Amino acid sequence: MKLLIIDDHAVVRTGVRKLLAEQFGCDIVEASEGASGLDIFQKHRPDVVILDLNLDGTGGLEIITKLLAMDPKAKIVVFTTHSEPVYAARALKEGARGYVSKSAPSDELIVAVRKVLAGRQYVDQEVASRLALCQLGAGDPVQSLSTRELEILRKLGEGCSLSDIADSLGIAYKTVANTCGTIKQKLGVEKTSDLIRFSVENLRR
């Protein structure tokens, strides 16, 4: 069995490598960002991909889409700091088979990999509970955002300027500005400062 870890923190990759190698005795390859992760996936065709959402350049949600375009049967487990249900719902919608928060006990990741290898889905217990509660509600405007819109909104909440966002995503400043306008309409707010406040309150732990 072969696993691919895509995470921009070396210490996380080292920890995950040690944990999974001990449990599965498998070959493990690594990537520190999305583009190289896609290249390594294409070359090695791992059985499972462990994917962070917070990546420089192309974000994790878009990487899910690109991995599945390469191989519709790709098995992806998201391993991220985000325990908010909006991210879990979006990742699963994009095609991830597992979702585990980095705050969850380490055995949750082991269980997720086992379940996904067996062709099943797995969401860690805390996130699953939040996701269930969220699905009881209706009309969440965040669900109307595209993957790119959600990524831009998240970066605003992290303190990035529109120029910073354009540079990190490799798109034009005007594209970011126009997308912010669309997000404002969908969320029913008027100012960029309102978007920042919304992001901080709803998309960050």
Side-chain angles (χ1 to χ4, degrees), residues 119-136:
R120 299 167 64 183
Q121 281 191 333
Y122 186 81
V123 179
D124 81 53
Q125 296 180 18
E126 178 187 0
V127 175
S129 296
R130 294 187 180 190
L131 191 58
L133 289 172
C134 179
Q135 291 173 343
L136 291 175

Side-chain angles (χ1 to χ4, degrees), residues 25-169:
C26 54
D27 293 327
I28 300 177
V29 288
E30 302 177 10
S32 61
E33 43 86 32
S36 61
L38 293 172
D39 291 339
I40 292 172
F41 179 86
Q42 183 71 34
K43 180 179 179 180
H44 293 279
R45 296 290 173 161
D47 297 283
V48 177
V49 178
I50 310 298
L51 175 68
D52 188 16
L53 292 185
N54 294 341
L55 299 171
D56 290 334
T58 306
L61 291 173
E62 290 189 51
I63 294 298
I64 294 172
T65 302
K66 292 178 182 293
L67 288 170
L68 289 170
M70 290 182 178
D71 180 1
K73 296 182 179 179
K75 294 180 172 66
I76 304 165
V77 175
V78 171
F79 186 51
T80 180
T81 58
H82 295 296
S83 59
E84 299 87 348
V86 61
Y87 289 108
R90 183 57 57 90
L92 295 172
K93 179 180 178 181
E94 295 297 327
R97 301 296 297 170
Y99 195 98
V100 179
S101 168
K102 289 180 179 177
S103 63
S106 59
D107 60 351
E108 292 269 15
L109 182 58
I110 295 169
V111 172
V113 172
R114 291 191 190 280
K115 295 286 189 182
V116 169
L117 276 171
R120 299 167 64 183
Q121 281 191 333
Y122 186 81
V123 179
D124 81 53
Q125 296 180 18
E126 178 187 0
V127 175
S129 296
R130 294 187 180 190
L131 191 58
L133 289 172
C134 179
Q135 291 173 343
L136 291 175
D140 182 0
V142 176
Q143 297 302 329
S144 69
L145 300 181
S146 69
T147 297
R148 176 53 58 85
E149 290 165 352
L150 184 60
E151 180 73 3
I152 289 174
L153 182 61
R154 179 182 67 80
K155 287 182 178 292
L156 284 172
E158 292 176 348
C160 297
S161 67
L162 299 192
S163 296
D164 293 335
I165 295 171
D167 290 342
S168 69
L169 297 180

